[in-house]
Amino acid sequence: FTDLEGSTALWEHNRRTMPTALARHDAILDEVVEAHHGVVVKHRGEGDSFFIVFPRASEAVAAALAIQRALQAEPWQTAQPLRARLGLHTGEAELRDNDYFGAAVNRCARIRGIGHGGQVLLSEVTAALARDALPAGADLVDLGEHRLKDLARPEHIFQVIAPDLPSDFPPVVPLDMHPHNLPIQTTP
């Protein structure tokens, strides 16, 4: 899953240039996804997000890095550059009417949701599958285990880094970062 960071503010402050910028963003993602053997399931499933599937976790990671590089290199005509946060997860899902449903889809969306613009986050299973086939110069940073909104089982999160991309981000903000007095959910 992808999502543009701060897109509401971008639309508010760039009313004239944002339609063109978003069209360019969409074209970049379409080009990169096709080059890496992926399929866009939904353009703007939620606002300005993309839902993309790949046959292999390693291709998803390579595409995520290519997306970040392309977005970073683009000379945006907006007050701030467009920065996407990406979440990757590998799992089983139900295919119905050319759309995917199920726990794996929800987990991927939650992983994306705790990221920051320019960041690529992976679930533990995706990291394990892609680890031995990372693109040249790329590496994984262990961000630890986190509880994610509405999910009973915590997720071990990894960040993909590459020398030509930003890698210093604020900590992810999962569910367990918000203080509360509720007991921790037990696993089934």
Side-chain angles (χ1 to χ4, degrees):
F1 277 95
T2 74
D3 182 50
L4 287 177
E5 180 180 61
S7 62
T8 301
L10 284 167
W11 277 102
E12 286 294 315
H13 297 102
N14 302 278
R15 291 174 192 246
R16 290 191 180 109
T17 57
M18 194 59 180
T20 303
L22 189 59
R24 180 64 187 137
H25 162 273
D26 293 358
I28 288 170
L29 267 67
D30 284 335
E31 291 167 16
V32 171
V33 167
E34 183 177 333
H36 288 87
H37 314 289
V39 175
V40 174
V41 176
K42 282 186 184 178
H43 284 87
R44 283 186 278 300
E46 307 167 324
D48 48 41
S49 69
F50 270 55
F51 178 4
I52 308 163
V53 295
F54 293 88
R56 285 181 276 294
S58 58
E59 290 174 326
V61 171
L65 291 174
I67 288 168
Q68 295 296 22
R69 287 181 180 112
L71 293 177
Q72 182 178 306
E74 185 69 22
W76 299 107
Q77 301 302 311
T78 51
Q80 297 88 26
L82 272 61
R83 294 170 27 103
R85 54 189 174 166
L86 283 70
L88 284 68
H89 177 61
T90 307
E92 295 184 3
E94 177 186 343
L95 178 61
R96 182 171 18 102
D97 298 325
N98 295 320
D99 199 356
Y100 289 89
F101 300 88
V105 175
N106 297 334
R107 186 164 292 272
C108 188
R110 295 301 188 219
I111 291 167
R112 181 225 30 216
I114 65 171
H116 302 282
Q119 193 171 36
V120 178
L121 299 178
L122 310 179
S123 67
E124 183 173 26
V125 67
T126 302
L129 290 168
R131 180 173 277 115
D132 293 334
L134 291 173
D139 202 359
L140 298 177
V141 175
D142 186 336
L143 299 182
E145 192 170 86
H146 301 280
R147 287 184 52 236
L148 303 174
K149 183 180 176 190
D150 297 331
L151 301 181
R153 181 176 48 84
E155 183 63 56
H156 204 114
I157 304 292
F158 293 83
Q159 177 182 322
V160 183
I161 60 169
D164 58 335
L165 291 172
S167 61
D168 189 23
F169 295 96
V172 295
V173 186
L175 179 63
D176 59 2
M177 294 295 289
H178 301 290
H180 58 77
N181 61 355
L182 300 174
I184 294 177
Q185 292 178 321
T186 58
T187 58

